[in-house]
Amino acid sequence: MIDMEKSILVILVALLMAGCGAKSSDTSSQTTESQESNPTASAVTPKSDGNVLHRVEQIYKDVAAEYAKYDEDFESMDDDGLDDRFCSDEWKGLVAKVVDFDSTNNPDEIGFFDADYWVMGQDSQDLSASDFNLVEEKGDHAIVEFNLHNCGSITKVRLEMVRERGDWFIDNFIDLDNAINWKEEMKDYLK
């Protein structure tokens, strides 16, 4: 069943690319078909069809759109909203523990989050993603890798995904180029 879904997705992507002349990495101007046909449909978290690769592509289209809104006013970006929409319960719990730890132990310092795991850096400009690859899918766990384009640089990112609440959610961010495993770094920080 999953192979059939992958085949259908590949065909649909090829048709969209051929019909629109768009690159697969163009994340700024594409919207979902359901949003186009129903303008009142929620753009918050579209349900996936079970295909983890499609889900990650859609997540990063939405993330790029959110960051594009804040290119001029980066300080007003609310990463908690992205975490609520796209991250696992375990991830959100761990982030909350780190934030609580820093507010208690390092109230006047930057603390653990001196960079942003959504953009793999401190700043964001012209954010997009490309070359999505499903590395592994076993039951309710999957690994997806892709190239994250930010501030003129490309970073190879690995996402560990988990299926919960009826959809796929990000359970860990890993910067492969700089060997940063965000979940493990947070756990070590709390020790």
Side-chain angles (χ1 to χ4, degrees):
M1 184 73 162
I2 292 174
D3 288 336
M4 185 175 168
E5 290 173 351
K6 287 181 189 175
S7 298
I8 291 170
L9 179 63
V10 169
I11 291 168
L12 288 173
V13 169
L15 288 172
L16 285 171
M17 289 174 58
C20 299
K23 296 179 183 176
S24 63
S25 63
D26 180 15
T27 61
S28 60
S29 63
Q30 299 172 353
T31 60
T32 65
E33 184 178 298
S34 63
Q35 290 169 328
E36 292 172 346
S37 64
N38 182 2
T40 60
S42 172
V44 174
T45 306
K47 290 295 180 191
S48 77
D49 57 5
N51 185 315
V52 66
L53 194 59
H54 173 75
R55 171 73 167 155
V56 171
E57 289 173 349
Q58 188 59 54
I59 287 171
Y60 267 85
K61 285 179 186 177
D62 291 351
V63 168
E66 287 294 319
Y67 277 88
K69 292 178 191 176
Y70 298 99
D71 273 347
E72 292 182 20
D73 186 15
F74 186 75
E75 293 301 318
S76 68
M77 184 67 198
D78 179 17
D79 289 347
D80 293 341
L82 293 174
D83 284 8
D84 286 341
R85 290 164 47 194
F86 303 125
C87 293
S88 71
D89 291 337
E90 182 180 347
W91 175 267
K92 292 184 290 187
L94 190 55
V95 169
K97 286 179 185 177
V98 170
V99 170
D100 287 345
F101 178 87
D102 280 342
S103 67
T104 302
N105 298 298
N106 306 314
D108 298 327
E109 298 176 23
I110 292 175
F112 178 82
F113 294 109
D114 64 346
D116 183 345
Y117 45 84
W118 285 105
V119 301
M120 296 297 165
Q122 292 180 330
D123 298 313
S124 168
Q125 185 176 23
D126 300 325
L127 187 69
S128 66
S130 67
D131 303 316
F132 293 89
N133 180 36
L134 178 61
V135 175
E136 179 179 284
E137 182 177 352
K138 290 184 180 177
D140 290 339
H141 298 275
I143 297 171
V144 174
E145 294 180 355
F146 62 95
N147 289 327
L148 182 67
H149 305 260
N150 184 27
C151 296
S153 297
I154 299 173
T155 304
K156 187 74 169 181
V157 175
R158 173 179 288 165
L159 297 180
E160 293 175 354
M161 304 293 293
V162 64
R163 184 179 259 296
E164 63 183 32
R165 303 185 315 264
D167 213 342
W168 288 101
F169 292 89
I170 300 170
D171 196 48
N172 192 10
F173 297 77
I174 300 171
D175 176 338
L176 293 173
D177 291 339
N178 298 298
I180 300 170
N181 182 320
W182 282 85
K183 192 176 214 179
E184 293 306 314
E185 296 280 337
M186 285 190 288
K187 288 178 180 178
D188 288 345
Y189 184 72
L190 292 170
K191 288 182 182 178

